[in-house]
Amino acid sequence: MPAVHEGPGPEHGRHTDVAPAAHPDPDGADHRPLTHRWPATDPGQGLLRHKRAGAGWLAMVIIAAATLLPTHFVVESAGPALNTIGSVEGTRLLDISGATTYPTSGQLDMTTVYVQGGGQQRLPFFSVLWGWINPDEDVVPEETVLPRGTTTTEQSEQNTLMMDDSQQLSTAAALHELEIPYSSHLGVVGFATERNSGALKVSDRLETINGQEITDLESLKKQLDAAGESPSRLGIIRDGKPMTVTVGTDAGPAGQRQLGILLSGSFDFPLEVKFGLENVGGPSAGMMFALAIVDQLTEGEMTGGKHFAGTGAITAEGKVEPIGGIAQKLVGAKDQGAEYFLAPAENCADVAGRVPDGLDVIKVATLAEARAAVEGIAAGQDPAAFPSCG
């Protein structure tokens, strides 16, 4: 902001009245004596006033700069709620082929959160201040949603990968709940260290370790810990061909043995599930997708025509895991007309005092519990009969 300078009087605060000259000199000078003079002002007081004015302007400049400078906070607010057994702009969110499906009704909404700021899009102070004031928004440190050093583009790509994994896990969880068999395996998707980068390659599929079948991540960890510091022999499938490689391990923070590789679960399902969701990332829709798959693969309308919403990551075995931004998701669900909300049990502390009026929040720890709550409420059971977060 440009400073405004108000000039001092003729003599820096000193004012003089001079009697008019009857006959001024030819050069225009007035040599008449002063007839009245105001008392002189102390020069020190004038200097003090200038210093105070300068300090005031400096404070205003600092405040203005602080309000415009980018911050390291992000603001979370409610995003849209999307019906997983419905359509968005004519595209079904979930479509199953290769198996008999049944009609559905009501809504099983997955909920989302808008995240403003972070990375190369940092928010100015006033946007963060409004987030603090608004009870329906939360301000959190940037690092909680965007790890330090990660760009916005990289985070978006990671969220897309997590959504893809979530969709696969939701299918596995639904089939596990319905006792429909399928096969699974672990595949190498990257390297955390250089430890085994010469022995393994991205896309290698892990089959056995030291002669024991690898059924899941836990079975792999168990065999690695049993081998200790000794090398292990991995049976893998590479480019469609079986082979065996020798790998070593390093000790993790808690003493567990680690290969230093990044793994992703892959599945062979007896049916195909296509997901029509775009521009949404992260793992938190897993439970609601799993419920939608169960609903379509079972006779009867699971919701009884009622409006449910919820959130939560899911494991292949059907465990519901906590997520972020649940307070905003409650707001989004209520705004879309939901009556009941399925919340991960481990998120209940985040829900306390944040539940919108008229929304029943049901606490669930597994897909089986979530399914039982939906089917029970649809059949007329009192929501209060189920564990609650609110």
Side-chain angles (χ1 to χ4, degrees):
M1 181 181 293
V4 178
H5 178 69
E6 296 180 356
E11 296 182 32
H12 301 282
R14 179 178 296 172
H15 300 273
T16 57
D17 275 339
V18 180
H23 302 285
D25 286 349
D27 62 3
D30 183 359
H31 299 286
R32 279 183 173 268
L34 295 176
T35 57
H36 177 74
R37 185 182 298 272
W38 293 101
T41 303
D42 182 356
Q45 293 181 359
L47 181 60
L48 180 59
R49 282 198 299 271
H50 279 294
K51 288 183 177 180
R52 288 175 177 171
W57 284 115
L58 179 60
M60 292 178 66
V61 169
I62 292 173
I63 292 171
T67 59
L68 296 175
L69 288 175
T71 65
H72 289 272
F73 292 95
V74 298
V75 176
E76 297 178 338
S77 58
L82 307 172
N83 184 13
T84 56
I85 51 176
S87 301
V88 174
E89 297 180 353
T91 300
R92 289 186 60 80
L93 263 68
L94 191 151
D95 194 43
I96 301 174
S97 59
T100 302
T101 59
Y102 301 90
T104 62
S105 67
Q107 292 187 224
L108 290 170
D109 289 353
M110 56 166 283
T111 48
T112 63
V113 172
Y114 282 130
V115 178
Q116 303 174 66
Q120 292 78 47
Q121 301 173 352
R122 290 197 174 96
L123 296 177
F125 174 78
F126 274 128
S127 297
V128 175
L129 178 62
W130 175 248
W132 275 317
I133 295 172
N134 189 340
D136 292 335
E137 296 183 346
D138 278 340
V139 176
V140 297
E142 177 185 352
E143 289 79 6
T144 63
V145 295
L146 190 70
R148 187 176 296 276
T150 304
T151 67
T152 306
T153 300
E154 290 171 341
Q155 182 67 14
S156 179
E157 292 172 350
Q158 291 174 16
N159 281 337
T160 299
L161 290 174
M162 285 191 288
M163 172 58 79
D164 292 342
D165 285 345
S166 175
Q167 292 169 350
Q168 292 296 301
L169 289 169
S170 66
T171 303
L175 297 186
H176 182 270
E177 171 67 17
L178 297 173
E179 299 182 349
I180 298 174
Y182 64 89
S183 60
S184 64
H185 61 268
L186 295 176
V188 179
V189 295
F191 295 90
T193 70
E194 296 296 317
R195 175 67 160 166
N196 292 298
S197 60
L200 294 167
K201 293 184 178 180
V202 171
S203 78
D204 283 350
R205 173 172 165 170
L206 308 189
E207 298 288 315
T208 63
I209 178 170
N210 299 327
Q212 301 295 315
E213 182 182 5
I214 298 174
T215 57
D216 53 26
L217 185 58
E218 292 305 317
S219 65
L220 174 62
K221 289 179 177 179
K222 182 178 179 180
Q223 291 298 323
L224 289 174
D225 289 340
E229 298 181 3
S230 301
S232 291
R233 295 181 61 78
L234 285 179
I236 65 172
I237 302 292
R238 178 179 295 168
D239 299 327
K241 299 177 181 180
M243 59 187 301
T244 302
V245 297
T246 300
V247 295
T249 59
D250 294 313
Q256 74 276 22
R257 306 309 299 181
Q258 297 181 337
L259 290 169
I261 61 177
L262 304 177
L263 295 170
S264 176
S266 298
F267 305 92
D268 294 320
F269 299 125
L271 49 78
E272 183 178 7
V273 181
K274 292 183 178 179
F275 297 85
L277 186 63
E278 295 182 354
N279 300 321
V280 177
S284 64
M287 178 183 68
M288 298 310 293
F289 275 137
L291 283 173
I293 295 170
V294 171
D295 193 6
Q296 291 192 42
L297 292 178
T298 54
E299 289 190 72
E301 299 173 351
M302 179 188 290
T303 70
K306 298 184 185 303
H307 193 161
F308 292 84
T311 188
I314 196 82
T315 69
E317 295 74 30
K319 179 184 177 182
V320 177
E321 298 184 319
I323 47 78
I326 192 168
Q328 287 71 44
K329 293 179 178 181
L330 293 172
V331 173
K334 180 60 179 177
D335 288 346
Q336 294 294 316
E339 304 168 272
Y340 315 99
F341 192 97
L342 304 170
E346 292 181 51
N347 276 128
C348 277
D350 305 316
V351 167
R354 304 292 296 272
V355 179
D357 292 339
L359 186 66
D360 289 311
V361 179
I362 312 300
K363 179 175 67 173
V364 296
T366 65
L367 177 61
E369 291 179 3
R371 179 187 180 188
V374 173
E375 291 178 339
I377 293 172
Q381 284 186 256
D382 187 345
F386 299 91
S388 173
C389 280

